[in-house]
C-alpha cells in the first residue's frame, strides 16, 4: 500500500487520502491479509521520509523522491499487488511484475487523465465515485469504490447546536466564502476550520474569506482529528458549496457519521453521497442554500448516520476493495 508523502498515516489533522488509506489497511489486516504500508512519517512500515514534507505540498520533488524510495522498497518486498494512492508512484508500474492498482483521488478530466492514458494497461484504475468514472470513461477502470471512514471513531450526537460548519481546504474550489454568505442569509452563524498552507489557499483566504470574518463568521484554523470530530458532531449542518466536479468529498461522510446533515451543491459526487431529504440537501444553485440550511434542522440525526453507516463505513470499502480477476500475480 503506497500512500502519498504529505502526511502521517493516519494524519494528525488534514489529510483525507491518508485517513482513508489507514482505514483500508486496518480493514484488510482484520480480514487476514498481509499489508506493507509505504509512506512518510508515522504509520508506515517503510518510511520514505522520517517527517512528512507537509510544508512543501504541491511541489514536484517530494513526490518524485517518495516514488523513487517507494520503488526501492517494493523491489525488496516482492508483493502480490501494489495499491498506489500517490501521484508519481504509478510511473514505475510498467517495470513491475506485480500488478498495480491505482485509486484515483483527483480530477481525471484534464492532465491527470492524460497521465493515466499514457500509462495505459500498466495500471488498473479504481474510481472513488461514479461521477469521476463517467468523466473519463475511456481510462483503464477496473472498479468503483466509494471512500469510507471508521464510524466507530466519529461521535454521534442527536442534539445539534444552532451554528453551521464549513470544514476543508481553503481553496476557491471549496467555496468557503459562499458558505459564509449562505449562513448569513439563513440567519445563522458559521464556524470555519481549514488548511491554508499552499500559496493559492493563502491568497484565496486573504481576498475572499478574511473580509467576511466577524462575530457571525469565525475562522478557527486547521482542525486536528479531535477538534474536527467535535465540530462535526455539534453543528446544525455542514455546508458544502463545492465549485468543481469534486470526485468525492470525505468531509461529507465524516459529517454524516456524526449524524450531521450536509447541505451541498449538485457537483461531482455530491448527489451520490448525500441522499436529498434524508442525510441533507442537494441544491443546484448557491441561492438555494439558505433555505436548505434551515430545512436541515428538521432532518433526523439518527437517520443521517444510519443511512451513511450502511454505505460508507470502513468494512463496506474493505469488502468492495477486491482484486479483480486476472490482476493477481503468480506467487
Amino acid at each position: 500500500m503506497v500512500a502519498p508523502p504529505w502526511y502521517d498515516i493516519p494524519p494528525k489533522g488534514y489529510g483525507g487520502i491518508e485517513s482513508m488509506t489507514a482505514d483500508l489497511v486496518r480493514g484488510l489486516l482484520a480480514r487476514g491479509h498481509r499489508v506493507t504500508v509505504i509512506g512518510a512519517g508515522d504509520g508506515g512500515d517503510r518510511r520514505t521520509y522520517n517527517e512528512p514534507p507537509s510544508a512543501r505540498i504541491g511541489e514536484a520533488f517530494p513526490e518524485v523522491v517518495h516514488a523513487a524510495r517507494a520503488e526501492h522498497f517494493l523491489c525488496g518486498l516482492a508483493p502480490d499487488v501494489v495499491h498506489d494512492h500517490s501521484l508519481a508512484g504509478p510511473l514505475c508500474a510498467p517495470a513491475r511484475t506485480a500488478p498495480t492498482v491505482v485509486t484515483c483521488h483527483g480530477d481525471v478530466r484534464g492532465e491527470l487523465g492524460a497521465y493515466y492514458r499514457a500509462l495505459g494497461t500498466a495500471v488498473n484504475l479504481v474510481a472513488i465515485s461514479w461521477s469521476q468514472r463517467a468523466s473519463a470513461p475511456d481510462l483503464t477502470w477496473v472498479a468503483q469504490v466509494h471512500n469510507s471512514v471508521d464510524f466507530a471513531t466519529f461521535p454521534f450526537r442527536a442534539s445539534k447546536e444552532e451554528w453551521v460548519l464549513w470544514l476543508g481546504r481553503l481553496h476557491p474550489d471549496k467555496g468557503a466564502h459562499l458558505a459564509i454568505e449562505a449562513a448569513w442569509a439563513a440567519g445563522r452563524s458559521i464556524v470555519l476550520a481549514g488548511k491554508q498552507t499552499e500559496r493559492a489557499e493563502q491568497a484565496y483566504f486573504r481576498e475572499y474569506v478574511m473580509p467576511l470574518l466577524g462575530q457571525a463568521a469565525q475562522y478557527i484554523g486547521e482542525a486536528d482529528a479531535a477538534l474536527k470530530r467535535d465540530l462535526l458532531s455539534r453543528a446544525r449542518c455542514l455546508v458544502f458549496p463545492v465549485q468543481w466536479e469534486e470526485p468525492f468529498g470525505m468531509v461529507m461522510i465524516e459529517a454524516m457519521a456524526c449524524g450531521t446533515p450536509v447541505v451541498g451543491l449538485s457537483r461531482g459526487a455530491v448527489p451520490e453521497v448525500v441522499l436529498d431529504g434524508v442525510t441533507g440537501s442537494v441544491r443546484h444553485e448557491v441561492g438555494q442554500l439558505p433555505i436548505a440550511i434551515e430545512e436541515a434542522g428538521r432532518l433526523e440525526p439518527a437517520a443521517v448516520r444510519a443511512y451513511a453507516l450502511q454505505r460508507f463505513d470502513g468494512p463496506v470499502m474493505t469488502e468492495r476493495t477486491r482484486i479483480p480477476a486476472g490482476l493477481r500475480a503468480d506467487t
Side-chain angles (χ1 to χ4, degrees), residues 127-217:
I128 55 176
S129 67
W130 290 112
S131 172
Q132 183 193 49
R133 184 167 180 166
S135 69
D138 62 303
L139 294 179
T140 54
W141 303 110
V142 295
Q144 179 277 321
V145 181
H146 283 137
N147 287 332
S148 76
V149 297
D150 182 356
F151 271 54
T153 71
F154 284 84
F156 171 74
R157 182 168 173 167
S159 177
K160 304 299 181 182
E161 298 180 16
E162 295 303 313
W163 48 272
V164 304
L165 176 66
W166 179 94
L167 181 66
R169 185 167 63 96
L170 283 153
H171 188 277
D173 288 343
K174 301 292 188 176
H177 69 292
L178 299 175
I180 296 173
E181 293 170 352
W184 284 355
R188 302 284 172 181
S189 60
I190 184 170
V191 174
L192 301 99
K195 177 180 84 74
Q196 52 159 323
T197 55
E198 299 178 54
R199 290 182 181 178
E201 296 165 350
Q202 294 166 351
Y204 167 71
F205 179 79
R206 287 194 303 268
E207 184 173 354
Y208 290 95
V209 178
M210 189 179 293
L212 300 179
L213 298 179
Q215 187 174 359

Side-chain angles (χ1 to χ4, degrees), residues 20-36:
M20 183 278 297
T21 302
D23 288 343
L24 178 57
V25 169
R26 281 195 295 269
L28 291 171
L29 289 171
R31 294 171 69 93
H33 295 284
R34 291 183 299 163
V35 183
T36 300

Side-chain angles (χ1 to χ4, degrees), residues 21-268:
T21 302
D23 288 343
L24 178 57
V25 169
R26 281 195 295 269
L28 291 171
L29 289 171
R31 294 171 69 93
H33 295 284
R34 291 183 299 163
V35 183
T36 300
V37 180
I38 299 176
D42 292 340
D45 301 303
R46 304 289 191 279
R47 293 188 180 191
T48 59
Y49 286 90
N50 288 329
E51 293 290 335
S54 304
R56 300 179 63 191
I57 188 169
E59 294 183 24
F61 265 109
E63 272 280 5
V64 174
V65 171
H66 175 70
R69 291 173 175 169
E71 189 62 22
H72 172 74
F73 291 138
L74 287 167
C75 288
L77 290 172
D80 297 313
V81 175
V82 177
H83 190 167
D84 204 327
H85 299 270
S86 71
L87 178 61
L91 287 169
C92 301
R96 296 173 185 153
T97 56
T100 298
V101 176
V102 176
T103 295
C104 303
H105 294 282
D107 187 353
V108 292
R109 295 173 301 168
E111 288 185 313
L112 186 61
Y115 168 50
Y116 291 139
R117 287 186 188 93
L119 291 173
T121 57
V123 294
N124 305 274
L125 304 179
V126 176
I128 55 176
S129 67
W130 290 112
S131 172
Q132 183 193 49
R133 184 167 180 166
S135 69
D138 62 303
L139 294 179
T140 54
W141 303 110
V142 295
Q144 179 277 321
V145 181
H146 283 137
N147 287 332
S148 76
V149 297
D150 182 356
F151 271 54
T153 71
F154 284 84
F156 171 74
R157 182 168 173 167
S159 177
K160 304 299 181 182
E161 298 180 16
E162 295 303 313
W163 48 272
V164 304
L165 176 66
W166 179 94
L167 181 66
R169 185 167 63 96
L170 283 153
H171 188 277
D173 288 343
K174 301 292 188 176
H177 69 292
L178 299 175
I180 296 173
E181 293 170 352
W184 284 355
R188 302 284 172 181
S189 60
I190 184 170
V191 174
L192 301 99
K195 177 180 84 74
Q196 52 159 323
T197 55
E198 299 178 54
R199 290 182 181 178
E201 296 165 350
Q202 294 166 351
Y204 167 71
F205 179 79
R206 287 194 303 268
E207 184 173 354
Y208 290 95
V209 178
M210 189 179 293
L212 300 179
L213 298 179
Q215 187 174 359
Q218 181 185 8
Y219 172 65
I220 60 173
E222 183 177 344
D224 62 17
L227 179 57
K228 175 176 69 173
R229 285 161 170 78
D230 178 61
L231 293 170
L232 286 169
S233 68
R234 292 162 51 206
R236 176 185 183 86
C237 66
L238 174 78
V239 186
F240 195 73
V242 63
Q243 294 297 289
W244 70 299
E245 303 308 313
E246 179 98 41
F248 193 75
M250 292 289 290
V251 69
M252 292 190 289
I253 61 174
E254 292 174 338
M256 293 189 296
C258 296
T260 300
V262 178
V263 173
L265 291 177
S266 183
R267 301 288 299 270

